[in-house]
Amino acid sequence: DTAVSQTPKYLVTQMGNDKSIKCEQNLGHDTMYWYKQDSKKFLKIMFSYNNKELIINETVPNRFSPKSPDKAHLNLHINSLELGDSAVYFCASSRTSVSYEQYFGPGTRLTVT
Amino acid sequence: AQSVAQPEDQVNVAEGNPLTVKCTYSVSGNPYLFWYVQYPNRGLQFLLKYITGDNLVKGSYGFEAEFNKSQTSFHLKKPSALVSDSALYFCAVRDTETGANNLFFGTGTRLTVIP
């Protein structure tokens, strides 16, 4: 009964390709997030989304786009992949209020060759 | 600007000894502070949080953290370290400025508990 799940766990692809990472949460949360963890383990927010609003970190290239088919899913689509996109991507979810902790998925390791 | 600093990249402690992982923060307004742990090839796991109330908060696996407003710190502590506590620890502060509610993370501290 995984609370936050991501697929695939590993993704190896070539530069220029388009790929998607799926995220699902079964916690009934109304806010979902995508984070990027680089090779130095630094974690950075990419997107925050609830059913009302998408908030984008201004440093995220527009090649990255989150898509939410419903409240339980927030998929990450990446166009024209670049070498620098190689990282581990984490999905998370929480209730909307600032006082609630976030629950993280297991991560997707993306390698662009 | 909101930020979190973890001044130590690496902390080594002998098993059975107390451990401290340091964190300082910078926010406007009231801080919402969190500690997470990451085991190898795993996602982040929530340990504890400070929202309001008692400055000493207790969390999972025997960890606790002390909120110190004057020093803008939120250090993670455990009275007696276990080898299984070896992992990467992240301090985080909630974004309360943009309305996004996301977390700003520190750079992480790798804790190694030596048997």
Side-chain angles (χ1 to χ4, degrees):
Chain A
D1 294 341
T2 305
V4 183
S5 59
Q6 296 177 229
T7 54
K9 187 172 177 63
Y10 300 97
L11 181 57
V12 180
T13 188
Q14 292 183 331
M15 285 174 48
N17 285 349
D18 302 340
K19 291 293 180 184
S20 293
I21 305 172
K22 295 184 178 181
C23 177
E24 177 182 4
Q25 56 94 4
N26 62 6
L27 298 167
H29 290 163
D30 45 20
T31 303
M32 297 183 73
Y33 314 81
W34 277 104
Y35 290 87
K36 179 181 180 180
Q37 186 174 45
D38 63 22
S39 60
K40 296 184 178 180
K41 304 297 185 183
F42 183 62
L43 274 158
K44 191 171 184 179
I45 182 69
M46 299 178 71
F47 305 100
S48 165
Y49 181 79
N50 63 26
N51 57 4
K52 299 177 183 176
E53 189 176 15
L54 170 67
I55 299 178
I56 303 171
N57 184 322
E58 61 186 12
T59 67
V60 175
N62 58 14
R63 299 181 293 104
F64 290 78
S65 57
K67 300 185 189 303
S68 180
D70 55 58
K71 188 177 168 181
H73 296 83
L74 184 65
N75 303 325
L76 182 64
H77 189 74
I78 315 169
N79 290 327
S80 303
L81 278 156
E82 300 178 357
L83 293 177
D85 298 333
S86 296
V88 181
Y89 292 85
F90 288 100
C91 177
S93 72
S94 74
R95 297 182 189 179
T96 299
S97 169
V98 296
S99 62
Y100 289 103
E101 60 272 21
Q102 295 180 13
Y103 291 84
F104 283 77
T108 296
R109 182 175 295 278
L110 171 65
T111 303
V112 182
T113 61
Chain B
Q2 301 168 106
S3 65
V4 169
Q6 294 180 243
E8 301 160 317
D9 291 336
Q10 175 81 41
V11 170
N12 297 325
V13 63
E15 187 177 22
N17 282 3
L19 69 87
T20 298
V21 182
K22 296 180 180 178
C23 172
T24 58
Y25 65 90
S26 174
V27 297
S28 56
N30 294 324
Y32 298 88
L33 298 159
F34 301 81
W35 274 103
Y36 284 83
V37 59
Q38 185 178 25
Y39 297 100
N41 300 314
R42 301 284 295 275
L44 278 74
Q45 296 180 31
F46 168 74
L47 280 179
L48 51 78
K49 65 182 177 183
Y50 173 82
I51 304 300
T52 187
D54 290 341
N55 290 341
L56 186 65
V57 294
K58 295 186 182 298
S60 306
Y61 312 120
F63 284 93
E64 57 189 28
E66 185 171 10
F67 171 69
N68 187 316
K69 187 173 183 178
S70 62
Q71 297 184 5
T72 61
S73 66
F74 189 55
H75 301 331
L76 182 69
K77 299 180 180 183
K78 187 173 182 181
S80 178
L82 301 172
V83 173
S84 57
D85 293 331
S86 298
L88 188 57
Y89 290 81
F90 290 96
C91 183
V93 64
R94 202 67 175 263
D95 178 3
T96 55
E97 292 182 358
T98 68
N101 291 341
N102 49 261
L103 295 171
F104 292 108
F105 284 91
T107 50
T109 298
R110 186 166 300 282
L111 172 68
T112 300
V113 180
I114 303 165

